[in-house]
Amino acid sequence: VVVSFVVVSVAGFAAYQALNRLLPTGKPITPVGRETEVGSFPCNLLTSPDGRFVVVTDTGSREELTVLDAKTGEKTFHTAMSDEDGLYFGLAFGKAGGKTLLYASHGDKNSISIHELTSDGKLIDAGTIQVPEPPAGSPRYIAGLALSDDGNTLYAVENESFSKTDFKGGVAVIDLASKKVLRTIDTP
């Protein structure tokens, strides 16, 4: 009986996967169309309300907000974030004063950045919503975002479940006119 072992480093396996287009499950994948680099760990994407652009958020070592042309896949804009920015999963679009606004969550920074999406696919800084620290004194880890149907309220999932919070998260209910948290709803 012959038994052979193959030891492959994580980096080696990643290189093998990249060359052979294998998923972690070992199944091959062949992308359709062209690929556009968008940072180190794209975790969410969202199409603009007019369908012309796609915004991608990254949470890896190269955190970026990237805007792509929905037809061509070309980058129209990208902004690199530092580790201090804490870019995370949540993205939501809204409208205010005739402008298209993008909301992006910043995880352990307890904040949500606001960006105006211009007609040519650029993002302009339009402010920040700061979510107050919880009584436990730990970050809320702002994650997913959703906008109410009337566009006046932003819901931010607080992914801060750990022992100080009895392993419960929450949802911050934010009034967009004042950029203030109206209340937090605990989740089981």
Side-chain angles (χ1 to χ4, degrees):
V1 174
V2 176
V3 179
S4 70
F5 294 92
V6 177
V7 178
V8 179
S9 71
V10 172
F13 184 70
Y16 174 79
Q17 284 181 307
L19 290 174
N20 292 289
R21 304 276 190 207
L22 292 179
L23 296 172
T25 60
K27 301 284 183 181
I29 186 170
T30 304
V32 175
R34 58 184 286 279
E35 297 174 25
T36 303
E37 189 174 327
V38 293
S40 61
F41 185 68
C43 65
N44 197 3
L45 56 91
L46 186 64
T47 305
S48 62
D50 64 7
R52 295 179 51 219
F53 303 102
V54 176
V55 178
V56 182
T57 183
D58 302 297
T59 65
S61 60
R62 290 180 312 152
E63 296 178 358
E64 297 178 8
L65 272 175
T66 305
V67 182
L68 305 173
D69 182 294
K71 287 183 181 177
T72 67
E74 294 288 328
K75 283 184 192 179
T76 60
F77 180 84
H78 86 276
T79 182
M81 304 280 182
S82 69
D83 288 340
E84 289 80 38
D85 291 317
L87 192 61
Y88 204 43
F89 176 82
L91 294 172
F93 273 111
K95 292 270 190 183
K99 297 177 180 179
T100 300
L101 299 178
L102 173 72
Y103 301 92
S105 68
H106 290 265
D108 66 341
K109 302 307 171 195
N110 296 334
S111 66
I112 300 160
S113 59
I114 307 168
H115 309 269
E116 178 187 347
L117 178 66
T118 64
S119 61
D120 60 348
K122 307 288 189 258
L123 293 177
I124 299 170
D125 183 16
T128 301
I129 298 170
Q130 192 63 47
V131 177
E133 289 272 335
S138 64
R140 292 188 185 272
Y141 293 96
I142 304 300
L145 300 174
L147 204 60
S148 63
D149 288 340
D150 64 9
N152 296 324
T153 307
L154 183 67
Y155 300 94
V157 175
E158 299 173 348
N159 192 23
E160 86 286 8
S161 60
F162 68 108
S163 61
K164 287 184 180 180
T165 63
D166 292 326
F167 298 97
K168 294 180 180 179
V171 177
V173 180
I174 302 166
D175 173 61
L176 289 176
S178 66
K179 298 182 184 173
K180 301 288 182 199
V181 176
L182 300 175
R183 67 183 180 282
T184 298
I185 302 165
D186 289 333
T187 58

